[in-house]
Amino acid sequence: MRVRRWITTTVATVLAAGTVAVTSTAAQAASADELAAALLGGTDALASTELLAPAQANGASAAVMTTPVAGFPTRPGGSYVVLSSGRADQLIGAQGTAASTAWSSTAVRPSVFDVTTLRVTLDVPAGANCLLGVSFRFLSEEYPQYVGDVYNDAFIAEVGQSTWTIGPGNTIVAPDNFAFDPQGRVLSINSGLFGAGSSPAAEAVGTVFNGASPLLTAAVPLQGGTQQDLFFTVFDQSDATLDSAVIIDNLRVGTVADVATQCRPGAQQAPSEITVTAQAPTQVDADGTADDTYTVPAVEGVQYTVDGTPVAAGTYPGAGTVVVTATALPGYVLTGATEFTLVFTDVRHVTAVPPTQVDTWGTADDTYTIPSVDGVQYLVDGAPVAAGTHPGAGTVVVEASALPGYVLTGPTRFELVFTDVRQVAATEPAQVDTWGTADDTYTIPSVDGVQYLVDGSPVAPGTYPGTGTVVVTAEAAEGHVLTGPSEWVLTFTDVRQATAVAPGWTDAAGTADDTYTIPSVEGVRYSVDGTPVAAGTHPGTGTVVVEASALPGYVLTGPTAFTLTFTDVTPVAAVAPGVLDRPGTALDRVVVPTVPGVVYLLGDQVLAPGEHALTGTHEITVRAADERHVLTGPTRFTVVLSDADVPGRVTGLAGGAGREQVSLTWSPTPTATGYRVQRSTDGSTWTDVATTGAPAGTVPATGGAAWYRAAATNDLGQGPWSEPVQVAPARPADAPRVTSVVPGNRSLTVTFEAPGSDGGAPVEHYEYTVDGGATWVRVDGSPFVVRRLTNGTAYDVRVRAVTAAGPGTAGTGTATAPAVVPVTVDGTDGTPTVPTVAPGAVLVRSDDRPVAATLTTGPEGVTVAGDGFGVSLRGFETDGSPLAVDGEGRLVVEQGGFVSVTGHGFAPGSEVDVWLFSTPTLLGTVPVGADGTFAARLALPAGIPAGLHTAQLNGTAADGSLRSVATGLVVRAAPGGPAADAGALAVTGASTAPLALAALALLLLGAGALLAARRRDARG
């Protein structure tokens, strides 16, 4: 059976979220998440949400409700959202009950009060391309009494970003609104609550409000696979009383075939829909998966999807788990089950392959191999084992079981038996048969499966004493088989080795102390000339031959004869000659020492002990004096006597004066490693004041002029003193004379003359102060510009010179105040002049620097936007009617009309002065609010000629700099007035012109670059 109710009817594929249950039948204060869930019917497509409402409302300006009223909820059993400029929980009641709650008397935007905004960020599914519809009804207590008045309460629904503003004449500008009426207007009191043909009072029955729009729906294109922001806003205009509200629910996202025709933005009255029930898909789950299928039925008004992709009616292959979801097509509402889970099984028959085994000697290499069979799990001792080769021992029982989805056929149990008989080879015992018997041993090895025996008795592995003949046999232990030799005969001998130690000897100088020493060695006899000699020390002379022989029971190894020769020579060692390397060469000397038995030679010339005059590099050799001496140690000595001298005289000594110090410099002196500086106040008595390693230095100054001299030093001594120089310390410079202070807009241009005396040190730079010396600012010279001042405040500019002696005396000027004058640029001849900017172009400067900015032309005027600021201008006729830009996109103002200026990003509490020229005319000064914004409508004085003009706005930026914005406009002749040449520059004139021109002649501001602004369509 079909039941009708009201919804949107766009032909589309809908991606619906699940439902959320709200049990309350009355209004309840709700969080942003609860509001979004009620709006969407769930949270599946919700990325994030935020509620922006008056702080005084404490959440009461938004609510979730389920009680039916005014056609809501539009989904059976659902809930809906109420957003209000007053109390959302007071929606239901008798008409005539005053709905009026003023949360705040302060406007949050120009003429706007009590704003409540719900932001909903959607995760738009891939493939979706349209917000198919959202159901809403706008209600207001302002109806019908204030229709056409300034109390133009409104509802706005935006996509992507919230950009609505209040324009001139309190018009509501909402470029991103998609819930506009057929005339493109925001849904508000003055737009007629959605036009003719409806009865606002009847539409509001059941609520406390006097009037309401019909039940509406609105669509807007979306981009699939992205997050998209939606903003729903309701507010009071011109005051905070007499509330307005909006009821919203049933937000749907899906896919349409043609976005341009089936997803057009704009509000329209909601038509009815049909209730349908989704029929469950059928399935065929055959053996295996090859023939598994499922069939999607054809049901009017129902769209089936699999994994989020729409599928047509028909039969499809099935595998695993397939989830089929049903959603209602536009114009239908779905009841009953919406999700169907189809499970397809995949059972196969398999046979376990028997494991294989390798049973070698022993067990070390015994293995069994588990085969790899699809669908079969092998187990050993109940534990699963992987396919592959594993160690085997004893009896291994392998069992096979079927993996999920498989059925096992054939044998499932396999028993593998491994034997443990090992082959072993007996290792031969080792023996040590040393000289004698005390250290003779044999070692029984440790071999698994082998038992060793000596004289028929088992012996454990280890080392045993050996003597005579030892017979070792080997037997196999149980479970082993012996291979290789099994008996070994070990024979030990009883002969000792002895080695003769060489006799020691002392061959001293001469012969009186010459000796030789016979050592005591077991088994060795020493003899001299065939006669045995006892161990000990004996006198030695000439040649002594000592022979060694073995005693009985020993065998001699090593040398047996030792020849000792005693000499009668005295060893001597030469002492190195001394060197006296004095400055220059005249006094250079080599000192030959006196060493008995040693002769020193220079070439073939014998050098007697004592001093010898030499210079340069020489090699001195030595030899023994006679045959009774022998040289030890070095026999050659190299002596170096350089021609190096003390440094020469310091030249180029010069002094520089500083405050309480003197800086000295001089030319580098060859061979110098340092310098010595002295000072004298009378030219005869000198005092050391500094030592330095470089040819420069700074020394404290005396009370007056003094003489200074310098000398170079090195390792050989000090060179002669330089010629003295006289240096006097410097004093601070005299005061510069300020010759003129010219006022500019928030600036002063200062010109000064250099000081009469620099105090003995050159001027390094200048400094100025405008706060009585509390702070000083560096400048390079005259003239200079003091910026970021306050117009109308007098400043006493003082200038001082800075030298090496420090800051000098400050010169004074005349206290001067910056003036409200136009900002100028340099003309072609370098003379300051007001800029000429054509319509459609913009010139922006910060202090004296050009700044990048963009000029945008729209139906309501021009807007200049830069980094952190914006300025808008619009022209008006004499009766206050707004003027659109002309066909060339130029800003137009009528003679005797008005110019509105608005802006943001300026210093709070400052003022913006607005000019019109070529001949400068001050249109007015506009105060900047605490939030950095300003707005004003300024009248054009009488006498402004028709034609092209330049408008300039000058104000203080947030960082304190002077910001100047200039753009061109066209002054249109008043009705009945003389027409102007559209291409000629008009001359603006007023009573302020003489004063302004006089000020302009004194400005020295830098020229800026005229930046051509990009022009674009404001609707784009």
Side-chain angles (χ1 to χ4, degrees):
M1 177 178 143
R2 297 182 176 178
V3 180
R4 294 187 174 273
R5 65 184 183 83
W6 295 99
I7 66 162
T8 57
T9 58
T10 303
V11 177
T13 299
V14 180
L15 304 180
T19 59
V20 62
V22 180
T23 58
S24 173
T25 59
Q28 56 184 30
S31 67
D33 286 343
E34 291 169 335
L35 292 167
L39 178 61
L40 297 171
T43 59
D44 291 349
L46 178 63
S48 66
T49 184
E50 180 182 18
L51 177 64
L52 303 175
Q56 300 85 343
N58 195 25
S61 65
V64 173
M65 300 184 70
T66 59
T67 303
V69 68
F72 288 86
T74 62
R75 293 173 298 218
S79 56
Y80 55 90
V81 174
V82 181
L83 304 179
S84 176
S85 64
R87 295 192 63 88
D89 57 356
Q90 295 181 356
L91 170 70
I92 300 175
Q95 287 180 304
T97 304
S100 180
T101 300
W103 297 118
S104 173
S105 60
T106 301
V108 297
R109 300 192 189 187
S111 79
V112 173
F113 298 81
D114 294 348
V115 179
T116 296
T117 298
L118 175 63
R119 174 186 60 78
V120 177
T121 300
L122 299 177
D123 272 325
V124 182
N129 59 9
C130 182
L131 188 158
L132 300 173
V134 58
S135 301
F136 62 95
R137 188 189 294 274
F138 175 59
L139 313 97
S140 180
E141 193 72 0
E142 302 283 2
Y143 181 86
Q145 183 176 358
Y146 295 105
V147 173
D149 210 327
V150 295
Y151 308 105
N152 190 30
D153 296 3
F155 164 68
I156 300 172
E158 298 169 290
V159 65
Q161 57 185 341
S162 181
T163 57
W164 68 272
T165 58
I166 301 302
N170 291 342
T171 56
I172 303 172
V173 180
D176 293 300
N177 178 35
F178 65 87
F180 48 81
D181 70 4
Q183 285 74 45
R185 300 173 298 181
V186 169
L187 192 60
S188 68
I189 298 301
N190 289 344
S191 67
L193 294 178
F194 210 72
S198 65
S199 173
E203 299 286 359
V205 169
T207 73
V208 297
F209 292 97
N210 292 335
S213 70
L215 178 61
L216 302 173
T217 184
V220 70
L222 300 176
Q223 184 176 352
T226 66
Q227 291 189 351
Q228 300 256 224
D229 292 329
L230 301 176
F231 299 86
F232 301 97
T233 302
V234 65
F235 59 84
D236 288 339
Q237 188 172 28
S238 294
D239 66 8
T241 59
L242 296 186
D243 301 332
S244 294
V246 65
I247 310 173
I248 323 173
D249 75 351
N250 200 17
L251 189 149
R252 286 105 48 214
V253 176
T255 305
V256 297
D258 185 0
V259 173
T261 60
Q262 296 176 313
C263 192
R264 293 177 178 173
Q268 58 182 326
Q269 294 194 33
S272 61
E273 68 179 14
I274 301 171
T275 300
V276 293
T277 301
Q279 180 181 336
T282 59
Q283 71 180 113
V284 175
D285 185 16
D287 188 28
T289 60
D291 297 324
D292 290 354
T293 61
Y294 64 94
T295 300
V296 175
V299 180
E300 179 184 356
V302 178
Q303 173 66 64
Y304 291 90
T305 60
V306 175
D307 294 332
T309 301
V311 292
T315 300
Y316 300 89
T321 299
V322 177
V323 178
V324 181
T325 303
T327 56
L329 290 172
Y332 296 86
V333 63
L334 200 59
T335 62
T338 60
E339 185 173 279
F340 309 93
T341 301
L342 311 177
V343 178
F344 296 89
T345 60
D346 184 12
V347 177
R348 300 182 179 92
H349 294 277
V350 292
T351 301
V353 176
T356 60
Q357 73 180 112
V358 176
D359 186 17
T360 63
W361 288 102
T363 61
D365 296 324
D366 290 354
T367 61
Y368 63 94
T369 300
I370 301 295
S372 176
V373 181
D374 286 344
V376 179
Q377 173 65 66
Y378 291 88
L379 304 98
V380 174
D381 295 332
V385 291
T389 301
H390 304 270
T395 299
V396 177
V397 177
V398 180
E399 295 179 319
S401 63
L403 291 173
Y406 293 85
V407 174
L408 202 60
T409 63
T412 61
R413 189 177 188 275
F414 309 92
E415 185 173 299
L416 312 176
V417 178
F418 296 91
T419 61
D420 190 12
V421 177
R422 301 183 177 98
Q423 287 183 321
V424 292
T427 301
E428 180 180 359
Q431 77 176 109
V432 176
D433 184 17
T434 63
W435 294 102
T437 61
D439 297 324
D440 290 354
T441 61
Y442 64 93
T443 300
I444 300 298
S446 176
V447 180
D448 286 344
V450 178
Q451 175 63 64
Y452 290 87
L453 303 96
V454 175
D455 295 334
S457 298
V459 290
T463 299
Y464 300 88
T467 182
T469 299
V470 178
V471 179
V472 181
T473 58
E475 296 178 348
E478 184 179 357
H480 295 79
V481 174
L482 199 62
T483 64
S486 61
E487 183 177 283
W488 298 271
V489 178
L490 311 177
T491 301
F492 295 92
T493 62
D494 188 13
V495 178
R496 298 182 180 95
Q497 284 184 321
T499 301
V501 177
W505 61 301
T506 301
D507 185 14
T511 60
D513 298 323
D514 291 352
T515 62
Y516 65 92
T517 301
I518 300 299
S520 176
V521 180
E522 181 182 356
V524 178
R525 176 191 295 118
Y526 290 90
S527 302
V528 174
D529 294 333
T531 301
V533 290
T537 300
H538 305 270
T541 182
T543 298
V544 177
V545 178
V546 180
E547 294 180 322
S549 60
L551 291 173
Y554 291 88
V555 173
L556 203 61
T557 64
T560 59
F562 308 94
T563 300
L564 313 177
T565 301
F566 296 91
T567 62
D568 187 12
V569 178
T570 300
V572 291
V575 177
V579 176
L580 299 177
D581 189 12
R582 299 183 176 95
T585 59
L587 300 178
D588 288 352
R589 299 290 185 271
V590 172
V591 181
V592 175
T594 300
V595 182
V598 178
V599 175
Y600 290 84
L601 302 99
L602 179 63
D604 296 332
Q605 177 186 357
V606 175
L607 297 177
E611 293 187 2
H612 298 269
L614 292 175
T615 186
T617 300
H618 301 275
E619 184 177 72
I620 296 177
T621 60
V622 296
R623 62 174 171 79
D626 51 46
E627 60 188 15
R628 293 178 57 83
H629 296 84
V630 61
L631 276 174
T632 64
T635 61
R636 297 176 181 275
F637 302 94
T638 299
V639 294
V640 178
L641 299 102
S642 70
D643 59 357
D645 206 344
V646 296
R649 182 186 300 276
V650 169
T651 61
L653 179 64
R659 188 171 189 175
E660 300 178 354
Q661 65 181 20
V662 170
S663 298
L664 299 173
T665 59
W666 54 88
S667 301
T669 303
T671 75
T673 59
Y675 298 90
R676 182 178 170 197
V677 180
Q678 289 187 334
R679 176 174 60 208
S680 174
T681 57
D682 58 7
S684 59
T685 303
W686 295 88
T687 304
D688 286 335
V689 292
T691 57
T692 177
T698 301
V699 298
T702 61
W707 295 89
Y708 295 87
R709 66 183 184 181
T713 61
N714 61 15
D715 293 340
L716 299 177
Q718 176 183 310
W721 290 103
S722 68
E723 291 296 329
V725 295
Q726 188 178 34
V727 184
R731 63 172 179 80
D734 292 348
R737 187 175 73 87
V738 177
T739 58
S740 71
V741 180
V742 179
N745 197 322
R746 297 167 178 84
S747 66
L748 297 173
T749 300
V750 181
T751 305
F752 64 90
E753 294 177 348
S757 171
D758 60 12
V763 175
E764 297 175 354
H765 61 271
Y766 294 90
E767 296 176 338
Y768 74 84
T769 181
V770 294
D771 56 10
T775 56
W776 292 87
V777 180
R778 173 173 174 159
V779 294
D780 293 330
S782 175
F784 62 87
V785 180
V786 184
R787 304 186 185 280
R788 305 191 181 189
L789 303 177
T790 302
N791 287 339
T793 300
Y795 296 90
D796 182 11
V797 184
R798 305 177 67 191
V799 183
R800 66 185 183 187
V802 179
T803 67
T809 304
T812 60
T814 304
T816 308
V820 179
V821 294
V823 173
T824 63
V825 298
D826 284 345
T828 55
D829 59 355
T831 303
T833 183
V834 294
T836 300
V837 183
V842 63
L843 172 66
V844 180
R845 296 172 63 82
S846 176
D847 287 340
D848 61 343
R849 303 182 314 277
V851 174
T854 300
L855 183 140
T856 302
T857 301
E860 298 180 355
V862 297
T863 298
V864 178
D867 185 10
F869 75 94
V871 171
S872 297
L873 298 91
R874 186 173 188 182
F876 293 83
E877 297 178 344
T878 56
D879 62 358
S881 299
L883 285 171
V885 297
D886 65 10
E888 299 179 27
R890 303 182 300 180
L891 179 66
V892 178
V893 184
E894 189 172 87
Q895 284 180 315
F898 304 89
V899 175
S900 68
V901 291
T902 60
H904 67 273
F906 286 74
S910 63
E911 290 184 338
V912 176
D913 49 281
V914 183
W915 296 83
L916 190 68
F917 42 72
S918 60
T919 302
T921 298
L922 178 63
L923 300 183
T925 58
V926 184
V928 179
D931 59 353
T933 65
F934 65 88
R937 181 185 291 188
L938 306 174
L940 265 64
I944 300 295
L948 300 180
H949 295 260
T950 298
Q952 185 184 74
L953 289 78
N954 303 319
T956 303
D959 62 358
S961 63
L962 171 61
R963 178 180 292 140
S964 177
V965 180
T967 186
L969 57 79
V970 176
V971 174
R972 188 181 73 184
D981 182 355
L985 179 65
V987 178
T988 308
S991 59
T992 58
L995 293 175
L997 287 173
L1000 288 173
L1002 301 175
L1003 292 176
L1004 296 174
L1005 299 176
L1010 185 62
L1011 306 177
R1014 293 186 297 107
R1015 299 175 63 179
R1016 56 189 174 92
D1017 191 333
R1019 296 186 180 88

